[in-house]
C-alpha cells in the first residue's frame, strides 16, 4: 500500500459522468445515485460544502424516450436533454430526500465567464446555497440555451470542463471526477490491456495528452481529453482533482481519508 495522500477538502465538487450513471442497457443506475446521495449528504452533515455536477441528461432522456442512438441533430439532442434533465432531477430529489437534503438545480452557461453580471449572480447563488445546511446544488450545462455545445464544439463543451470551472468559481479545495474507469492510464486500457494506472500527475505534459485515447462507451462523451483539460484548469489554480471509478461512491470517503485511489492531479508532491 502506498503512503496516504495529503488531501485538504472542506469544499468539494463532485462530477459524475454519463458512463457511471447510465448502464450499457440504457437504464439509469439507481444504485449509484442512491449511494451518491447517501455519501454527499453525510459529507454535508459533517460540515463540508458540497456541489454535484451531473451529466447524464441526454442518456436519461434517451432511456425515457426509448431512443437507442444518441441523436446527431443539435436540436434533437437539446430536446432529449430537456426530457432527461427533468427526470434526472426527480430521481436525485427522491434520493437526497431520503437523507433530509433538498437539491437545487443550477443550469448554467458560458455567460458566467463572459458577463461579469452573470458571473456575480451565479457566485451569489452558490454562496447562498452553500451556506444552507440541507441543500445540495446540482449543476449541469443549460443544454437548451447553449447552441452547438452538446457535441463539444464550443463553450464549456462538456461537463468535465464545466466541473473544473465550477471548482475555480466556488474556490473549492478538491474536484472528484467519477468515471467508469479507475483513473488515468498510460494508454486507453480498452485498446492497450497492459496499460498501467498513473497515481499522481503534476503537469499535463504532451506525453500525458498523447496517452488520452478515444471515447469509452456509447454514452460517455469527452473521454480523457476533456478530463485532462479540466485537470489543467485545476492545476493552474493550485487546486486538487482526483479521477476515479464511480461505480461505488463510497470511494469518496477513501479519497478524503487520503487513500491513494485513482489518479491525483495536484502540483504538490505526494
Ligand atoms: P465519463 O462518462 O465518465 O465522462 P468517458 O466515457 O467520457 O467518461 O471517458 C472515460 C473513458 O475514457 C474510459 O472508459 C476509457 O475507455 C477512455 N480512455 C481513453 N484514454 C484513456 C486513458 N489514458 N486512461 C483511462 N481511460 C482512457
Amino acid at each position: 500500500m502506498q503512503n496516504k495522500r495529503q488531501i485538504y477538502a472542506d469544499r468539494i465538487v463532485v462530477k459524475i459522468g454519463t458512463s457511471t450513471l447510465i448502464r450499457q442497457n440504457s437504464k439509469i443506475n439507481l444504485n449509484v445515485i442512491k449511494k451518491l446521495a447517501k455519501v454527499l449528504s453525510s459529507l454535508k452533515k459533517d460540515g463540508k460544502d458540497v456541489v454535484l455536477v451531473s451529466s447524464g441528461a441526454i442518456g436519461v432522456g434517451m432511456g425515457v424516450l426509448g431512443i437507442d442512438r444518441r441523436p446527431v441533430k443539435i436540436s434533437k439532442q437539446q430536446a432529449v436533454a430537456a426530457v432527461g434533465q427533468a427526470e434526472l432531477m426527480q430521481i436525485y430529489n427522491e434520493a437526497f430526500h431520503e437523507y433530509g437534503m433538498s437539491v437545487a438545480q443550477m443550469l448554467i452557461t458560458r455567460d458566467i465567464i463572459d458577463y461579469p453580471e452573470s458571473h456575480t449572480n451565479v457566485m451569489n447563488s452558490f454562496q447562498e446555497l452553500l451556506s444552507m445546511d440541507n441543500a445540495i446544488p446540482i449543476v449541469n450545462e443549460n443544454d437548451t440555451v447553449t447552441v452547438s455545445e452538446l457535441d463539444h464544439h464550443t463553450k464549456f463543451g462538456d461537463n468535465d470542463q464545466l466541473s473544473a470551472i465550477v471548482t475555480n468559481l466556488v474556490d473549492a479545495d478538491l474536484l472528484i471526477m467519477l468515471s467508469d474507469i479507475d483513473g488515468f492510464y498510460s494508454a486507453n486500457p480498452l485498446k492497450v490491456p497492459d496499460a498501467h494506472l498513473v497515481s499522481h500527475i503534476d503537469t499535463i505534459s504532451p506525453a500525458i495528452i498523447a496517452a488520452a485515447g478515444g471515447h469509452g462507451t456509447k454514452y460517455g462523451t469527452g473521454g480523457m481529453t476533456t478530463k485532462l483539460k479540466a485537470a489543467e484548469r485545476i492545476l493552474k489554480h493550485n487546486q486538487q482533482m482526483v479521477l476515479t471509478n464511480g461505480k461505488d461512491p463510497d470511494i469518496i470517503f477513501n479519497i478524503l481519508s487520503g487513500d491513494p485511489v485513482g489518479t491525483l492531479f495536484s502540483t504538490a508532491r505526494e
Side-chain angles (χ1 to χ4, degrees):
M1 188 77 167
Q2 287 169 272
N3 290 338
K4 288 266 186 186
R5 287 174 177 155
Q6 301 279 332
I7 297 284
Y8 312 101
D10 283 334
R11 184 166 283 190
I12 306 153
V13 176
V14 176
K15 184 257 168 179
I16 185 153
T18 304
S19 47
T20 311
L21 286 171
I22 313 286
R23 297 177 193 274
Q24 284 298 321
N25 65 5
S26 302
K27 295 270 181 290
I28 188 154
N29 193 335
L30 282 176
N31 280 341
V32 162
I33 292 193
K34 285 182 184 165
K35 204 85 181 269
L36 189 62
K38 185 174 173 195
V39 173
L40 298 188
S41 302
S42 146
L43 293 179
K44 186 81 189 162
K45 283 172 191 165
D46 278 353
K48 307 253 186 220
D49 291 338
V50 180
V51 175
L52 176 62
V53 177
S54 180
S55 296
I58 293 188
V60 173
M62 285 166 62
V64 172
L65 297 166
I67 298 171
D68 273 346
R69 300 196 25 203
R70 188 182 166 92
V72 178
K73 216 171 139 199
I74 296 285
S75 57
K76 186 90 181 203
Q77 289 182 20
Q78 290 172 313
V80 174
V83 171
Q85 179 68 23
E87 178 82 5
L88 188 58
M89 286 309 288
Q90 191 175 331
I91 295 169
Y92 275 126
N93 215 14
E94 274 177 30
F96 277 95
H97 274 169
E98 284 288 312
Y99 303 96
M101 292 286 156
S102 296
V103 296
Q105 174 174 250
M106 294 192 71
L107 297 176
I108 59 184
T109 66
R110 177 90 187 186
D111 280 8
I112 65 159
I113 294 181
D114 294 340
Y115 295 97
E117 205 178 319
S118 305
H119 180 274
T120 306
N121 284 335
V122 173
M123 282 284 289
N124 291 344
S125 307
F126 268 122
Q127 293 307 348
E128 287 294 347
L129 285 164
L130 288 170
S131 72
M132 293 176 180
D133 290 339
N134 53 358
I136 308 254
I138 302 188
V139 182
N140 190 12
E141 189 145 39
N142 191 343
D143 292 330
T144 51
V145 176
T146 50
V147 179
S148 82
E149 277 180 24
L150 300 179
D151 276 332
H152 323 302
H153 299 311
T154 58
K155 319 231 177 148
F156 292 141
D158 62 84
N159 271 343
D160 292 330
Q161 289 188 77
L162 175 62
S163 64
I165 289 167
V166 168
T167 305
N168 295 165
L169 192 76
V170 302
D171 200 19
D173 308 295
L174 174 68
L175 168 61
I176 297 177
M177 214 176 259
L178 301 176
S179 187
D180 64 344
I181 189 128
D182 291 346
F184 188 84
Y185 281 75
S186 52
N188 185 352
L190 287 183
K191 296 182 187 146
V192 183
D194 61 354
H196 66 270
L197 181 78
V198 184
S199 170
H200 182 208
I201 293 176
D202 60 8
T203 332
I204 309 300
S205 63
I208 297 282
I209 293 169
H215 299 186
T217 62
K218 70 171 166 168
Y219 293 112
T221 44
M224 283 300 133
T225 307
T226 53
K227 289 173 184 47
L228 291 181
K229 284 195 185 147
E232 234 165 359
R233 260 182 201 278
I234 294 295
L235 292 175
K236 206 167 139 201
H237 285 78
N238 265 317
Q239 294 167 303
Q240 299 176 299
M241 169 174 142
V242 174
L243 168 67
T244 193
N245 202 316
K247 64 177 186 250
D248 181 357
D250 270 349
I251 200 159
I252 293 173
F253 292 129
N254 296 91
I255 293 170
L256 295 178
S257 67
D259 292 346
V261 290
T263 303
L264 169 68
F265 296 82
S266 110
T267 51
R269 294 185 66 84
E270 266 192 74

